[in-house]
Amino acid sequence: MSEEAKRRVALLGLTVFWVCWTLWAGVRSAGGLSDDAFITLRYALNFARGLGLVFNPGERVFGCTEPLLALVLGGARWISGVPLPILATALHAIGLLTLAALVLVGAARSGRILPGAMAGSLILILPFSWSLQGFAWPWVASLLAGAALLVARRPALAGILAGLAVGFRPDALLGVALLPLFAGASPREWKKPSWRFIAGAAIAIGLLAIGAWLWFGQLLPATLAAKQAFAVGSERAGTRSGFGFWPAAWPVFGRTFGKWIAPVAVLSGLLGMARLCRTADPVYRTLVAFGAALAIAYPILGVSFWSWYVILPLIALVLVLAQSLAPLTVRGGSLWPRLLALPALLAFLTAGALAIRQWRTGDSGDPSGPRVQLYSRIGAWIAQSSPPTARIAAFEVGALAFYADRPVEDLLGLVSPQNIAAVAAGDWAGALRASRADFVVLTAGSRINPRARWFTARYRRTEEFVVGKERATVYRLNQRWHRPRRLGGSLPELRTSPSRGRP
């Protein structure tokens, strides 16, 4: 058998393994979404119902960081009728598989198939990759990777793909700006971004911006301002932003590479980035540059650490480590590059072993699972215990709003921008006082004191829910505080048919 035939057989076997693994992991982790992902699903659900891209019917608030993902999920829900959490898992699995395939194609074009195969395999195997379902990051990376592969031959199409990534997440603008610089075949081409690429990206981004302006009245989501306000107004969040961002994120690397190997992996990755411009792989260069840019941008933006901010820089680190293994696949060559590749090999083997062990034990490292179950139970109870016009106030609103199917006021301001000023001032009680909430959901250690005189005068304790170590209490508005509420034109739309009325 010739070398070419052996390579095709190996690629076919790898493809079969990737597909089978993706199916198995997708089934095993189906519906495992964090609370913030349910915010996108809430937008998608209302879009599927014909109420528009809104969190609360009748309120056009740009509180969805990933609007194009919400549109895709909403359209799929409307066509298929499949529950949105399952659709989110399916779309996430397809996105991960697409990203791994594009990484392999880029590596194959540069003659380094083995590093590409190892990087793609680790991306698919990492439990952390699967714990972030319901977010758009696999499609952002896939669109930018696809654009990097096409920019030399089809620059206009590459620009459109890169522009669409911005619709999935606005911070993909960094990737669009970096792509023509790092996807060229030589340093000379980095200084000459094609006007066709620029035109394609401008058309895609322009259409997205026009749509956002016509529907929401603004170009960018209000979530960035809300997250910055939270970092300013909360002492705990403030320690996780700015210079505290990456120290707070360090446990992610510890879980991925091991407590003792994580420093080796990160140091090896930083040294490997020095060779960023030498490789001929445009996918590698683009995704690594994008991940590095995000790693710098998030602390500068002043947002607090959350796990989904780390995944693309982590993917960039995986790609750098994979490329560092290239000297081990070449016969001959000097000894020094081979020695530098050994730490990367150790990091890869350790990450793979830890990932397999975490899958076997069911330990994904995502602490939000019990919290989401808690909010889903509370939401289901409120749905059965209140009229469709009842409003809920809470600090975490994703799963609660999705399962309660009631209007929700976000005391952190993500989907209720009128609360951003109070959040920045740390005036959580002021945000609740200004709300029109019929129900208040508070977890243990809440920022609002339920024993305060003003609170007990307005609300009474109604129900308590416990899931594992997670505990929350539901408070209901006292009868004497009820005021006649003017019925808006959107309220009849909440009375949906049984087949489409529930998530």
Side-chain angles (χ1 to χ4, degrees):
M1 184 180 293
S2 64
E3 291 295 328
E4 181 66 22
K6 291 180 180 178
R7 189 178 70 169
R8 290 182 179 179
V9 171
L11 289 176
L12 178 60
L14 180 65
T15 302
V16 171
F17 167 72
W18 279 2
V19 172
C20 292
W21 172 267
T22 302
L23 290 172
W24 178 83
V27 170
R28 177 161 180 173
S29 62
L33 281 69
S34 66
D35 190 76
D36 272 44
F38 276 98
I39 293 179
T40 303
L41 265 61
R42 171 73 169 170
Y43 275 88
L45 179 63
N46 284 324
F47 180 73
R49 290 172 169 175
L51 303 178
L53 196 62
V54 295
F55 188 80
N56 293 325
E59 302 176 11
R60 297 190 183 185
V61 175
F62 201 174
C64 181
T65 310
E66 302 172 339
L68 206 53
L69 178 63
L71 290 174
V72 172
L73 287 172
R77 160 69 177 174
W78 181 78
I79 293 172
S80 66
V82 175
L84 278 167
I86 302 302
L87 287 174
T89 298
L91 192 63
H92 184 83
I94 296 171
L96 279 180
L97 189 60
T98 302
L99 175 59
L102 290 172
V103 167
L104 180 60
V105 170
R109 288 190 177 183
S110 64
R112 299 181 175 182
I113 295 180
L114 184 58
M118 294 184 68
S121 298
L122 190 57
I123 290 171
L124 285 173
I125 290 175
L126 284 178
F128 186 57
S129 298
W130 290 91
S131 71
L132 297 176
Q133 298 177 33
F135 295 99
W137 67 268
W139 290 104
V140 171
S142 295
L143 287 168
L144 291 176
L149 288 173
L150 292 172
V151 69
R153 296 178 290 113
R154 303 286 297 275
L157 179 58
I160 292 173
L161 291 178
L164 288 176
V166 179
F168 280 97
R169 280 196 68 90
D171 47 21
L173 276 169
L174 279 173
V176 177
L178 292 171
L179 193 149
L181 300 177
F182 287 94
S186 66
R188 184 177 301 175
E189 294 184 20
W190 301 346
K191 301 178 182 179
K192 301 178 182 179
S194 168
W195 69 266
R196 292 185 177 88
F197 172 84
I198 296 174
I203 290 173
I205 296 173
L207 290 175
L208 292 169
I210 291 171
W213 181 263
L214 292 177
W215 182 255
F216 296 111
Q218 61 189 84
L219 297 178
L220 294 174
T223 52
L224 176 59
K227 292 170 182 177
Q228 290 173 330
F230 180 50
V232 171
S234 171
E235 180 179 351
R236 177 176 178 272
T239 63
R240 295 155 56 97
S241 62
F243 289 111
F245 182 95
W246 284 109
W250 184 253
V252 172
F253 295 89
R255 285 190 55 83
T256 302
F257 298 103
K259 179 180 179 180
W260 303 108
I261 305 301
V264 176
V266 173
L267 180 60
S268 178
L270 292 175
L271 293 175
M273 286 190 65
R275 300 189 296 273
L276 174 65
C277 300
R278 300 179 186 176
T279 177
D281 181 356
V283 173
Y284 165 87
R285 286 201 301 261
T286 299
L287 293 183
V288 170
F290 180 47
L294 291 178
I296 298 171
Y298 288 140
I300 292 176
L301 289 174
V303 297
S304 298
F305 159 74
W306 296 107
S307 55
W308 50 88
Y309 289 141
V310 181
I311 183 61
L312 287 174
L314 179 62
I315 296 299
L317 177 61
V318 168
L319 292 175
V320 173
L321 293 175
Q323 288 291 334
S324 300
L325 299 176
L328 298 178
T329 64
V330 179
R331 295 179 180 178
S334 60
L335 179 62
W336 183 242
R338 291 173 177 269
L339 292 177
L340 290 178
L342 293 179
L345 179 62
L346 176 63
F348 245 91
L349 294 177
T350 305
L354 286 175
I356 294 173
R357 187 177 71 178
Q358 289 165 9
W359 278 108
R360 292 180 61 184
T361 59
D363 181 16
S364 65
D366 181 15
S368 64
R371 184 67 66 94
V372 170
Q373 294 179 32
L374 180 71
Y375 285 129
S376 64
R377 291 186 185 180
I378 296 173
W381 180 84
I382 292 178
Q384 296 175 355
S385 308
S386 66
T389 58
R391 298 184 70 87
I392 311 168
F395 286 100
E396 294 175 293
V397 299
L400 184 63
F402 185 78
Y403 288 104
D405 200 16
R406 299 291 186 270
V408 173
E409 296 194 26
D410 179 14
L411 298 178
L412 292 182
L414 291 174
V415 294
S416 302
Q418 70 272 13
N419 292 330
I420 291 179
V423 171
D427 186 12
W428 319 108
L432 180 56
R433 286 181 178 182
S435 74
R436 298 172 291 155
D438 299 293
F439 292 89
V440 179
V441 179
L442 299 179
T443 56
S446 174
R447 300 171 182 86
I448 292 179
N449 181 12
R451 298 178 182 177
R453 183 174 299 179
W454 72 267
F455 188 90
T456 56
R458 184 176 296 192
Y459 295 100
R460 69 182 188 275
R461 179 172 176 167
T462 303
E463 197 75 21
E464 187 174 85
F465 295 82
V466 179
V467 174
K469 296 181 180 180
E470 300 290 344
R471 182 185 302 269
T473 305
V474 180
Y475 299 86
R476 193 164 194 166
L477 191 68
N478 289 327
Q479 188 65 33
R480 68 188 184 89
W481 278 92
H482 279 281
R483 299 175 181 175
R485 184 176 292 131
R486 181 182 176 184
L487 296 179
S490 64
L491 294 181
E493 294 176 316
L494 288 172
R495 301 184 182 95
T496 54
S497 63
S499 60
R500 298 281 185 180
R502 293 286 178 230

